[in-house]
Amino acid sequence: MADKSYDAIVIGAGHNGLTCAGYLARAGLTVKVVEARDKVGGAAVTEEFHPGFRNSVFSYVVSLLNPKVIRDLELHKHGLQIIDRTGGSFSALDVDNYLWMCRDQERAKKELAKYSKEDAAVWDEFDARLVEIAELLRDVALETPPNIGGGWGDLWTLLGVANKSRKLSPQQQATLIELMTMSIGDYLDKWFEGTAIKGELGFEGVIGNFVSPYQAGSAYVLLHHVFGEVNGKTGAWGHAKGGMGAITQAMAKSAESVGVDIEVNAPVKQVLTEKGKAVGVELADGRVIRAKLVSSNLNPKLLFTQLVDDGLLPREFNRRMRSWRSQSGTFRMNVALSELPKFPTLAGEENPAQFLNGTVNVCPSLDYIQNAYDDARKVGWAQKPVISMCIPSTIDDTLAPEGCHVASMFCQHFNPDLPDGKSWDDVKEDVADLIIDTMNERAPNFKASVVGRQINSPLDIERKLGMLGGDIFHGALHLDQLYSMRPAPGYADYRSPIPGLYMCGSGTHPGGGVSGLPGHNAAREILKDVKRRRV
């Protein structure tokens, strides 16, 4: 039985799917969004996980959400408010020592000087080079990558990018090449001597990336996380008031205001094709929804290995999708706290709370990250996990009862594929205890203050969100899976081998993070094709 027909169907109501749908509807198309879960938002959702305590469940901080997407979709008009974090990053090195890289650059350099005067002296140059390259990437992120082996249009696009790169100084060009090819460990070893700053920044190279800090290409992930902005401040990070679900709720309201029909509890069984062209979807309940085109927000491997007839795919593309690398190494927790963590190393500070409204990290060195990775490869999880913790209730009082707090804990390294036939369902509670104990070593009141917790192992992330291997990026951000290679050579322009089937998720350029850019860029290419057909 066929449902109503639309101009476009979007599979998945994550932030990129909602972005794509919003742009298409604003251009006059009739749009249907189908979402497998019982709520919109994908990884950007807010839930009450303990009575009176609410928090972002998966993604947890804002920076990459593009200002153009915010403006075009009028997200502030639909309720989005982004709060600046002033605290920067507080690294709890051990019970007695810390490194605080706050937003005040002069204070940050004084912190570095406690451990190395040389590191403090080079900080401005190091930071400036990242910002310079991030400016280039910010422009590239808004553009459609040229297809390898494409025609004149793709050649002109490639030449345009090359022209932008030529405008960089020789030193800037060298920095770009280094950041694209070097390991985060080697890159930081080149700049710094202090172990604390290398641990702090090294985490940025492995976040959501199940690799050693000395794997070639991992320096790019550091760059990927600095080309965002919050409220006009480049490289800054903030919180969405009400949690990350506030972003996708605003996107859903924006889309519905221009006529988008959003349906939850509507998993897709298959993409329907006729004469080799996508013509709609069949839902798990047997309903058929027809459309002139389909846009998928799913991991490309999930889309092309489970929802599409692989007989319609070129052999090389099929091989690429089956070998698409999706592994994140992430274990994600929320905890409800009766009080703020108390770090003995801050006991002499007049206002210790000021250190805690940014990010609290347990990542004291590159060796610490390497050991976490080695453990995960050998036994399944880090025996001393890397932890990045945010306490958004310090700046958003809507999340917890008065006097109490919620904390997001983003942890690595945890192998999606456990050895010896173990299952994450059997060990995740023990692993959660280990994570809490690790934080408790630095803040001895932490464990006793936990009154509730929400656990998402790599397997939980895969099950709930369709993020294969628990991969928060829908595909590893490695050099051979970036730009014109994302998700496959010849198909980096958001189109697929099947006419009428498009990709708008994080498995396309510019990759993961709550940016909205894959959805934005895909909608632009879709509308180009729609215009051509109408002319």
Side-chain angles (χ1 to χ4, degrees), residues 158-311:
L158 184 60
L159 290 173
V161 174
N163 189 51
K164 289 177 183 177
S165 299
R166 277 199 300 271
K167 292 178 181 178
L168 298 175
S169 69
Q171 183 56 67
Q172 290 171 328
Q173 291 180 34
T175 299
L176 175 60
I177 292 170
E178 288 173 348
L179 286 165
M180 295 299 295
T181 59
M182 289 180 72
S183 75
I184 186 65
D186 287 328
Y187 187 74
L188 294 175
D189 284 340
K190 171 187 170 181
W191 280 92
F192 302 112
E193 61 183 14
T195 57
I197 186 60
K198 289 192 283 188
E200 177 75 20
L201 296 173
F203 175 68
E204 296 295 337
V206 300
I207 186 169
N209 195 15
F210 187 38
V211 295
S212 158
Y214 286 97
Q215 177 163 314
S218 56
Y220 169 76
V221 182
L222 167 65
L223 193 57
H224 183 82
H225 283 91
V226 299
F227 68 72
E229 64 180 86
V230 168
N231 297 332
K233 299 172 184 175
T234 300
W237 291 83
H239 283 290
K241 186 170 184 178
M244 294 296 283
I247 296 173
T248 47
Q249 287 299 314
M251 287 178 166
K253 291 174 184 175
S254 172
E256 289 173 334
S257 74
V258 289
V260 175
D261 180 5
I262 301 173
E263 182 178 349
V264 297
N265 293 311
V268 172
K269 179 180 179 182
Q270 64 174 326
V271 175
L272 297 175
T273 57
E274 291 178 1
K275 298 180 180 178
K277 180 182 183 301
V279 295
V281 298
E282 180 186 357
L283 302 182
D285 63 11
R287 282 185 296 143
V288 169
I289 306 175
R290 298 183 65 85
K292 297 174 184 176
L293 63 94
V294 177
S295 182
S296 169
N297 187 34
L298 307 180
N299 183 312
K301 184 173 185 175
L302 180 60
L303 171 67
F304 291 107
T305 63
Q306 296 188 28
L307 300 185
V308 169
D309 178 2
D310 61 10

Side-chain angles (χ1 to χ4, degrees), residues 46 51 58 85 119 147 304 383 401 484:
T46 304
F58 301 103
R85 302 188 317 168
D119 289 354
N147 272 325
F304 291 107
Q383 302 306 292
S484 293

Side-chain angles (χ1 to χ4, degrees), residues 72-83:
D72 290 350
L73 301 185
E74 301 179 297
L75 298 186
H76 291 312
K77 173 183 172 182
H78 292 283
L80 178 62
Q81 180 182 346
I82 299 175
I83 308 170

Side-chain angles (χ1 to χ4, degrees), residues 15-17 19-21 23 494 504-505 508-509 516-524:
H15 79 280
N16 278 312
T19 297
C20 183
Y23 277 106
Y494 309 97
C504 66
T508 61
H509 175 74
L517 289 179
H520 165 278
N521 296 352
R524 181 181 60 229

Side-chain angles (χ1 to χ4, degrees), residues 193-519:
E193 61 183 14
T195 57
I197 186 60
K198 289 192 283 188
E200 177 75 20
L201 296 173
F203 175 68
E204 296 295 337
V206 300
I207 186 169
N209 195 15
F210 187 38
V211 295
S212 158
Y214 286 97
Q215 177 163 314
S218 56
Y220 169 76
V221 182
L222 167 65
L223 193 57
H224 183 82
H225 283 91
V226 299
F227 68 72
E229 64 180 86
V230 168
N231 297 332
K233 299 172 184 175
T234 300
W237 291 83
H239 283 290
K241 186 170 184 178
M244 294 296 283
I247 296 173
T248 47
Q249 287 299 314
M251 287 178 166
K253 291 174 184 175
S254 172
E256 289 173 334
S257 74
V258 289
V260 175
D261 180 5
I262 301 173
E263 182 178 349
V264 297
N265 293 311
V268 172
K269 179 180 179 182
Q270 64 174 326
V271 175
L272 297 175
T273 57
E274 291 178 1
K275 298 180 180 178
K277 180 182 183 301
V279 295
V281 298
E282 180 186 357
L283 302 182
D285 63 11
R287 282 185 296 143
V288 169
I289 306 175
R290 298 183 65 85
K292 297 174 184 176
L293 63 94
V294 177
S295 182
S296 169
N297 187 34
L298 307 180
N299 183 312
K301 184 173 185 175
L302 180 60
L303 171 67
F304 291 107
T305 63
Q306 296 188 28
L307 300 185
V308 169
D309 178 2
D310 61 10
L312 299 174
L313 303 174
R315 182 179 178 184
E316 192 58 36
F317 183 89
N318 207 344
R319 181 184 293 117
R320 171 77 171 184
M321 289 299 95
R322 294 188 182 281
S323 62
W324 181 249
R325 295 191 304 283
S326 290
Q327 280 193 320
S328 191
T330 300
F331 193 101
R332 180 72 174 83
M333 288 179 62
N334 284 318
V335 291
L337 302 173
S338 60
E339 61 179 351
L340 282 175
K342 296 177 182 176
F343 293 89
T345 188
L346 296 177
E349 297 290 342
E350 185 175 334
N351 180 20
Q354 69 177 315
F355 295 82
L356 306 183
N357 76 4
T359 303
V360 178
N361 291 330
V362 176
C363 191
S365 67
L366 290 170
D367 283 345
Y368 189 96
I369 302 173
Q370 182 67 53
N371 290 337
Y373 175 73
D374 290 341
D375 286 346
R377 295 285 294 179
K378 293 173 184 174
V379 300
W381 58 88
Q383 302 306 292
K384 293 187 175 182
V386 175
I387 302 172
S388 181
M389 181 173 74
C390 295
I391 311 175
S393 49
T394 56
I395 54 176
D396 181 358
D397 60 9
T398 69
L399 300 175
E402 186 176 355
C404 299
H405 291 277
V406 293
S408 305
M409 304 184 78
F410 187 99
C411 313
Q412 289 190 229
H413 278 295
F414 302 87
N415 197 332
D417 301 312
L418 292 177
D420 304 323
K422 296 176 184 174
S423 168
W424 275 110
D425 290 335
D426 298 328
V427 301
K428 66 182 181 181
E429 294 289 344
D430 292 337
V431 172
D433 290 341
L434 171 65
I435 291 168
I436 289 173
D437 287 341
T438 301
M439 185 60 71
N440 200 68
E441 290 173 2
R442 276 125 174 118
N445 73 318
F446 186 74
K447 186 173 183 177
S449 72
V450 175
V451 297
R453 66 189 191 185
Q454 180 186 47
I455 300 171
N456 280 297
S457 71
L459 180 59
D460 292 323
I461 294 171
E462 175 172 313
R463 283 173 176 163
K464 294 176 182 179
L465 300 177
M467 290 181 165
L468 301 179
D471 194 333
I472 63 173
F473 297 139
H474 281 190
L477 297 178
H478 298 166
L479 190 57
D480 66 320
Q481 293 191 170
L482 291 176
Y483 199 48
S484 293
M485 298 288 285
R486 191 169 186 90
Y491 300 96
D493 60 0
Y494 309 97
R495 297 169 179 87
S496 82
I498 299 174
L501 177 59
Y502 299 82
M503 298 168 283
C504 66
S506 293
T508 61
H509 175 74
V514 182
S515 71
L517 289 179

